[in-house]
Amino acid sequence: MDLGLRGKVALITGASRGIGKAIAQSLMNEGCRVAICARDSGRLRAAVAELSHGASEAGATSDDVFGLPTDVTDDAAVQKFVAGAHEKFGRVDILVNNAGTHLRGTVDTTTLDILERQLHDKVFGFFSMIKAVLPIMRAQKDGRIVNVIGQAARHPHPDRFPSGVTNAACMALTKSVADAVARDNIRVNAVCPQYIESELLASLIDKEMRERKVDRATAAGGFSRSNPLGRTGTPEEVADLVSFLVSDSANFVAGSAVSIDGGYHRYVFG
């Protein structure tokens, strides 16, 4: 299915690995030119090299990939990244906010510093990127924004206090911005993954092994069995959903948060 994204320019944060890199690859496969950023310059260089190497298979060239080390909590760095991408490609059609951390902790173990760091990484980082691209998208009278937000927003848990609070704020940000810019022909949505194969999931499995004193297969099985599909998701499956949401095939989807969790959550409404 051709999603009609050929020639579009997509900015993806936190794209040096995992879900972010998979999103960049998926959008390149659809014919987009991509600008990616991450804090770790070494990993970012490797991701740019990998995407550039595979560009020919997607009918693109290495010149269709732009990367710049960026800390999304630094507004000046965000402005530099967006300006650099805009200067190179001449437009910005898509923003995917993926950068951020997932911090576990309880009300008792979470400090103000921990909560502040989580809020800066995700809420402030998302907002800073959105503020930077909006003037460009408004001038174009067209734009697509997707925020990658964890399921803790919808499913608060006493052991995931900082992520639950932060992700709930990201959900409110998504809907508020979506309503504010819809008449500018800018669609804003969120995707909410749960238990996706990643370094984060590997760290959670390690934690289960230590705390429950079980082997890796037993610890990993708990995550796989937690949803009706009986497995964890892949970064590529999240990327395919994002690619659909930023395409014209999803033109009537705005201000929505779409779960990609294998049926993990059982809510009827929301």
Side-chain angles (χ1 to χ4, degrees):
M1 181 179 179
D2 185 356
L3 293 176
L5 293 172
R6 189 160 301 280
K8 301 288 188 183
V9 175
L11 277 56
I12 307 104
T13 70
S16 64
R17 55 181 170 165
I19 290 173
K21 189 168 74 172
I23 291 169
Q25 184 64 69
S26 177
L27 290 172
M28 283 196 73
N29 291 345
E30 293 296 331
C32 288
R33 295 168 289 170
V34 301
I36 66 173
C37 72
R39 277 188 278 215
D40 189 310
S41 58
R43 279 181 165 169
L44 184 67
R45 282 195 301 272
V48 169
E50 185 177 337
L51 291 168
S52 298
H53 180 72
S56 58
E57 298 177 13
T61 69
S62 59
D63 199 46
D64 291 323
V65 185
F66 171 79
L68 186 69
T70 304
D71 182 346
V72 296
T73 67
D74 181 343
D75 193 59
V78 166
Q79 295 290 338
K80 183 178 179 181
F81 170 61
V82 173
H86 190 226
E87 181 179 353
K88 179 175 178 63
F89 295 127
R91 58 187 299 112
V92 173
D93 301 287
I94 297 161
L95 166 64
V96 182
N97 275 317
N98 174 70
T101 56
H102 172 81
L103 298 178
R104 291 196 163 201
T106 66
V107 172
D108 294 319
T109 62
T110 300
T111 64
L112 284 175
D113 285 343
I114 290 172
L115 186 57
E116 184 177 22
R117 176 157 59 94
Q118 182 83 334
L119 288 167
H120 272 279
D121 281 347
K122 293 199 76 167
V123 183
F124 294 0
F126 283 19
F127 185 56
S128 184
M129 284 296 305
I130 289 169
K131 291 280 281 185
V133 303
L134 276 184
I136 300 169
M137 291 182 173
R138 280 183 164 135
Q140 295 169 175
K141 295 181 169 53
D142 185 71
R144 309 288 182 262
I145 298 172
V146 173
N147 296 325
V148 181
I149 304 171
Q151 282 285 1
R154 283 178 163 153
H155 191 68
H157 191 282
D159 290 335
R160 301 171 199 138
F161 176 75
S163 286
V165 171
T166 301
N167 288 340
C170 286
M171 292 279 264
L173 180 149
T174 299
K175 181 58 177 170
S176 296
V177 175
D179 289 358
V181 302
R183 298 298 174 92
D184 296 312
N185 197 35
I186 301 170
R187 291 192 295 103
V188 184
N189 292 291
V191 298
C192 301
Q194 175 90 13
Y195 297 149
I196 305 299
E197 294 170 12
S198 62
E199 291 182 13
L200 170 62
L201 182 59
S203 70
L204 295 178
I205 291 171
D206 288 341
K207 185 172 182 287
E208 287 288 300
M209 291 172 62
R210 291 193 304 271
E211 292 182 352
R212 295 174 53 201
K213 295 181 171 48
V214 295
D215 60 27
R216 178 164 293 277
T218 301
F223 294 97
S224 299
R225 291 190 302 271
S226 64
N227 65 62
L229 289 183
R231 65 175 179 86
T232 53
T234 68
E236 291 73 23
E237 287 170 321
V238 180
D240 287 344
L241 174 58
V242 171
S243 293
F244 169 73
L245 285 174
V246 299
S247 76
D248 287 347
S249 297
N251 264 346
F252 203 55
V253 183
S256 294
V258 184
S259 291
I260 177 162
D261 62 1
Y264 177 85
H265 288 97
R266 273 73 175 179
Y267 43 72
V268 178
F269 302 103

